[in-house]
Amino acid sequence: MATLELRGIRKSFGAVQVLHGIDLQVAEGEFIVIVGASGCGKSTLLRIVAGLETATEGSVLIGGADVTRLEPKDRDIAMVFQNYALYPHMSVFDNMAYGLRIRGLPRAEIEGRVRRTAEMLGLGDLLRRKPRELSGGQRQRVAMGRAIVREPKLFLFDEPLSNLDAKLRVQMRAEIKRLQRRLGVTSLYVTHDQVEAMTLGDRLVVMNEGRAEQVATPMEVWREPANTYVAGFIGAPAMNFLHGRLCEEGHAVDLRAGPAIALAAPPASATEAEVTVGIRPEHVRVVGNGAAGAIPLKVDLVEPLGAESLIHGILPSGEGLTVRASDCSPLAGTTLPIVLPAEHLHLFGGDGRRLRLAHARGAAAPVRVGA
Amino acid sequence: MMHGPVSTTAAEAIARAEAAATRADASRRRADWLTHAILILGVALFALPIWIVLMGSTHDVATISRGEVPLLPGPYAVENYTAAWAEGSARTTRVPVSAMMLNSFVMAMLIAVGKIAISILSAYAVVFFSFPGRMLAFWAIFITLMLPVEVRIFPTFKVVSDLGMINTYTGLIVPLIASATATLLFRQFFLTIPDELVEAAKIDGAGPMRFFKDVVVPLSTTNMAALFVILFVYGWNQYLWPLLITTTGDVETIVIGIVRMIGSEADTDWHLVMATTVLALLPPVAIVILMQRWFVKGLVETEK
Ligand SMILES: Nc1ncnc2c1ncn2[C@@H]1O[C@H](COP(=O)(O)OP(=O)(O)O)[C@@H](O)[C@H]1O
Ligand SMILES: [Mg+2]
């Protein structure tokens, strides 16, 4: 158990810069999930922490000690790989014991630790099997077990669940969370799956093209995304983005698609009038015909999800909008009146950054009627 | 009545299908027959010379000298084999076959083991380490593939004789040990070992030697076994190099021994030549049979 600190990590492969300065502080026992689209540099970052790759610039501190120049084996870490990387010719027992043997632990202690860990993971009966005689889920557990017996300062996971089928993935996800809580080991977990990220992480690092776009708790990332990239990446279905213009000195936003919407407070730092207005599909309200301020949505496609439906439509401005609504499944081609509640609007400036409202913390405060 | 036409059609369809099946059966039987005929012919072509040698080794020298090709066993088997084994063909070389077999066995064994040891280590270096001149080393190895022993035989001979290694095991074996082919085979195999496995071992704290011993070698056993069989047979059948390097009987191999035994047409002990030939066949056959399971596994299976 230890803290982890990354300071200005940069990495280039030849002329291509993959990481553009990542800073991160992880508290003891914290579970950090690094999430981002594939190719954004998540694995590279994790491998730099592991010592499998050297950073071009920046330093890595584990438990306050600078380990930037240390070999992986001297960093006291354990890693779980996407394809598990079990030694194919060794039994489950030997796979788990190998690292301990190299470190010269007494035979009895190795035996005890491996058995205890195997019991904890439900692998007690499989210790003599070879990896190829195991199912995908069991292999995954062995890979976890190999990390756990080491009793490291830091767990590193590189998409450990992506090779499992959907059902097993959900099951193992919960199990990983439970194990991490129980063992209390500081963990860094890489995934491209936002659901995995939201459910597992104490905090998320949302990465895009080698930059950490936002570091915050899952709820914070969802409620107050730092920019359009994060807003579009986290949440399913993705947030809708519409063109808008600030008017009335920032007290309202005039949508290209429809009427102006009054804001609780003007944005604190808006320098230009043009803004991007974001709203999540589940926050769009379907209203009755003729309701005041309603925008007509021309329904294009309806996807029933059971309790709810996803309604894809076109606004009068030609912009697309997705609505997630319960007890409403209009026919394609009909027109659906909708309202965008002011308290659920997210405003982003021309550079994509979130515009915070003055005096208001978090999402906009309840709307002042008739502003 | 209403079902009449339908069932008639169905019956016809079934009959047609059955007829088609019978025809297919017949043509399959013809194909089987042809396949077998070709296979039997092939086996005969390969086996007949061996059969003739085997039978020839059980007759006396007179029968063969008369120009007969015996196809049935004769009464002299025990005599011929003991003579060959213990004395050899006294008229041409004075070395008993047992000594030549031992020489051949030592040579084939050391060549096979040596080639495997050297090539697995070179492949390990080329695949898992980055050092200056790595690709140069690889291409140098690759290019020597195109230079068979025969091409570089005179310079090699010069070096070996200058070092005073004529008529020694060292001179016989060492020049044959370097192997580009085996290095390339191991390299191809090592490239299929996933990077993550190497990294997992690094994190577990295994250094390069440990990783080699604990992971690379165990994973390569089937490949090594398959290569061993091929290289043993290769070593056993070496002809040109031993011919140059052995001038006395001390390190003479059996392949050379057979050639020297034949000497001139007139005074060849053909019955002993045949017996020696049969004896010379046995060790490679034994190795192939013993290692068959591993050999096939190594060729077919990739255990990962
Ligand atoms: N060893 C390498 N050499 C060159 N480029 C690399 C290397 N490793 C990764 N990259 C590049 O760095 C980028 C980030 O890779 P990676 O960290 O694996 O992304 P992620 O894990 O987020 O999918 C990719 O564009 C990839 O092509
Ligand atoms: Mg990756």
Side-chain angles (χ1 to χ4, degrees):
Chain A
M1 234 201 284
T3 59
L4 168 72
E5 191 178 343
L6 305 182
R7 290 186 189 155
I9 300 285
R10 287 168 201 279
K11 175 72 186 175
S12 307
F13 291 107
V16 188
Q17 188 160 2
V18 174
L19 295 177
H20 304 266
I22 306 269
D23 295 286
L24 181 66
Q25 300 216 339
V26 184
E28 246 178 59
E30 204 178 5
F31 197 131
I32 296 282
V33 176
I34 302 173
V35 61
S38 136
C40 70
K42 309 177 297 285
S43 297
T44 307
L45 184 63
L46 198 72
R47 292 158 49 79
I48 286 172
V49 175
L52 296 169
E53 204 86 71
T54 25
T56 315
E57 239 179 88
S59 44
V60 180
L61 288 84
I62 298 178
D66 191 334
V67 299
T68 317
R69 306 257 153 259
L70 293 188
E71 290 287 313
K73 66 178 162 64
D74 301 321
R75 295 190 178 197
D76 204 1
I77 46 145
M79 185 155 169
V80 179
F81 296 87
Q82 178 173 354
N83 63 6
Y84 318 136
L86 300 176
Y87 307 114
H89 58 294
M90 292 187 196
S91 67
V92 169
F93 184 94
D94 291 336
N95 260 288
M96 288 167 69
Y98 188 58
L100 304 181
R101 286 199 185 121
I102 290 180
R103 287 202 278 168
L105 260 63
R107 188 179 275 269
E109 160 137 34
I110 295 178
E111 176 97 18
R113 274 211 213 175
V114 172
R115 293 215 178 274
R116 233 176 305 128
T117 311
E119 285 310 325
M120 179 163 74
L121 290 166
L123 293 170
D125 301 330
L126 306 176
L127 284 172
R128 291 163 169 282
R129 298 239 192 126
K130 293 276 175 65
R132 77 175 112 82
E133 298 160 342
L134 300 177
S135 71
Q138 289 168 335
R139 280 181 215 185
Q140 215 283 327
R141 271 167 219 265
V142 178
M144 298 270 301
R146 186 169 64 176
I148 292 170
V149 282
R150 303 267 311 275
E151 299 178 6
K153 286 187 186 149
L154 195 62
F155 279 144
L156 304 175
F157 300 89
D158 193 351
E159 312 217 9
L161 303 182
S162 3
N163 283 3
L164 300 180
D165 61 61
K167 195 172 162 203
L168 210 50
R169 193 151 50 204
V170 173
Q171 202 179 319
M172 284 308 292
R173 192 170 77 198
E175 198 158 328
I176 288 181
K177 178 114 178 167
R178 232 174 278 131
L179 272 171
Q180 199 269 344
R181 286 259 179 292
R182 180 166 155 195
L183 301 168
V185 178
T186 316
S187 304
L188 219 52
Y189 185 107
V190 160
T191 180
H192 64 265
D193 181 323
Q194 50 143 329
V195 179
E196 228 169 273
M198 295 290 282
T199 50
L200 280 174
D202 293 329
R203 281 192 299 153
L204 309 187
V205 177
V206 184
M207 275 185 65
N208 179 32
E209 297 185 347
R211 289 192 175 79
E213 301 281 8
Q214 188 169 13
V215 182
T217 64
M219 277 325 281
E220 213 177 322
V221 169
W222 188 78
R223 227 185 279 133
E224 289 180 54
N227 54 37
T228 45
Y229 179 82
V230 177
F233 188 77
I234 299 288
M239 186 185 278
N240 298 294
F241 294 110
L242 305 171
H243 286 283
R245 250 187 112 72
L246 291 176
C247 56
E248 296 176 30
E249 289 166 336
H251 284 283
V253 58
D254 187 12
L255 293 178
R256 185 185 285 177
I261 301 173
L263 298 173
S269 57
T271 52
E272 49 202 329
E274 292 291 334
V275 291
T276 302
V277 179
I279 183 153
R280 297 199 181 274
E282 54 269 42
H283 291 151
V284 178
R285 270 216 331 264
V286 178
V287 292
N289 270 323
I295 311 172
L297 180 73
K298 193 155 179 290
V299 178
D300 179 33
L301 177 72
V302 179
E303 296 177 292
L305 301 177
E308 295 169 318
S309 309
L310 282 187
I311 304 161
H312 303 274
I314 315 260
L315 293 170
S317 57
E319 292 163 309
L321 186 85
T322 303
V323 181
R324 189 156 127 189
S326 47
D327 53 69
C328 168
S329 51
L331 294 174
T334 56
T335 303
L336 194 66
I338 53 146
V339 160
L340 310 180
E343 69 268 29
H344 289 304
L345 295 187
H346 302 259
L347 299 185
F348 302 96
D351 57 357
R353 290 240 199 106
R354 177 183 194 81
L355 300 177
R356 289 178 180 275
L357 302 188
H359 316 302
R361 288 215 147 266
V367 70
R368 277 184 305 169
V369 181
Chain B
M1 275 312 265
M2 259 178 68
H3 295 290
V6 178
S7 49
T8 313
T9 328
E12 273 169 12
I14 290 168
R16 263 202 306 279
E18 273 171 357
T22 320
R23 273 198 304 280
D25 267 3
S27 71
R28 204 176 309 128
R29 265 198 300 275
R30 261 199 307 283
D32 279 356
W33 187 85
L34 192 67
T35 316
H36 277 97
I38 291 171
L39 285 175
I40 288 168
L41 190 68
V43 168
L45 279 177
F46 277 109
L48 193 62
I50 295 171
W51 179 254
I52 289 173
V53 169
L54 196 60
M55 291 307 106
S57 68
T58 61
H59 287 268
D60 62 356
V61 68
T63 315
I64 306 168
S65 299
R66 277 200 302 275
E68 281 178 29
V69 180
L71 285 175
L72 291 174
Y76 295 98
V78 179
E79 282 166 86
N80 289 353
Y81 280 97
T82 36
W85 181 257
E87 295 154 31
S89 175
R91 263 186 275 176
T92 47
T93 73
R94 303 212 161 272
V95 190
V97 170
S98 55
M100 297 193 288
M101 295 264 285
L102 184 68
N103 285 340
S104 277
F105 188 78
V106 169
M107 178 179 76
M109 207 63 172
L110 290 182
I111 287 178
V113 172
K115 266 180 188 284
I116 289 175
I118 295 252
S119 55
I120 199 170
L121 285 170
S122 346
Y124 185 59
V126 169
V127 173
F128 290 103
F129 297 85
S130 53
F131 49 89
R134 176 166 89 136
M135 283 327 275
L136 184 76
F138 172 69
W139 282 107
I141 293 171
F142 189 72
I143 283 168
T144 59
L145 246 190
M146 297 165 201
L147 301 176
V149 178
E150 290 75 13
V151 173
R152 53 192 156 87
I153 205 152
F154 285 107
T156 314
F157 182 79
K158 173 89 171 103
V159 170
V160 169
S161 80
D162 284 356
L163 291 173
M165 295 198 298
I166 302 283
N167 284 323
T168 62
Y169 275 131
T170 327
L172 187 61
I173 291 160
V174 170
L176 293 177
I177 277 184
S179 173
T181 322
T183 308
L184 280 179
L185 284 175
F186 278 121
R187 175 180 177 268
Q188 289 319 107
F189 171 65
F190 290 168
L191 288 178
T192 67
I193 294 181
D195 289 344
E196 284 86 351
L197 204 60
V198 184
E199 294 175 346
K202 268 189 203 162
I203 290 178
D204 268 342
M209 284 304 143
R210 221 130 176 176
F211 181 67
F212 182 73
K213 179 171 79 75
D214 291 346
V215 181
V216 173
V217 170
L219 285 180
S220 312
T221 42
T222 49
N223 291 56
M224 280 156 77
L227 259 178
F228 178 80
V229 173
I230 293 169
L231 295 177
F232 183 88
V233 174
Y234 162 89
W236 185 268
N237 290 338
Q238 278 303 309
Y239 173 65
L240 192 55
W241 182 248
L243 187 65
L244 286 179
I245 215 77
T246 62
T247 54
T248 67
D250 292 346
V251 292
E252 194 161 274
T253 65
I254 190 146
V255 176
I256 303 301
I258 292 172
V259 177
R260 294 221 167 114
M261 272 183 192
I262 291 173
S264 68
E265 188 67 34
D267 45 272
T268 300
D269 294 327
W270 281 111
H271 59 306
L272 295 184
V273 172
M274 303 259 181
T276 309
T277 309
V278 172
L279 289 173
L281 277 174
L282 296 180
V285 170
I287 292 281
V288 170
I289 290 174
L290 277 177
M291 314 264 310
Q292 191 183 33
R293 211 163 51 88
W294 290 84
F295 180 70
V296 174
K297 228 172 141 187
L299 290 182
V300 172
E301 187 179 302
T302 47
E303 189 184 337
K304 247 162 276 113

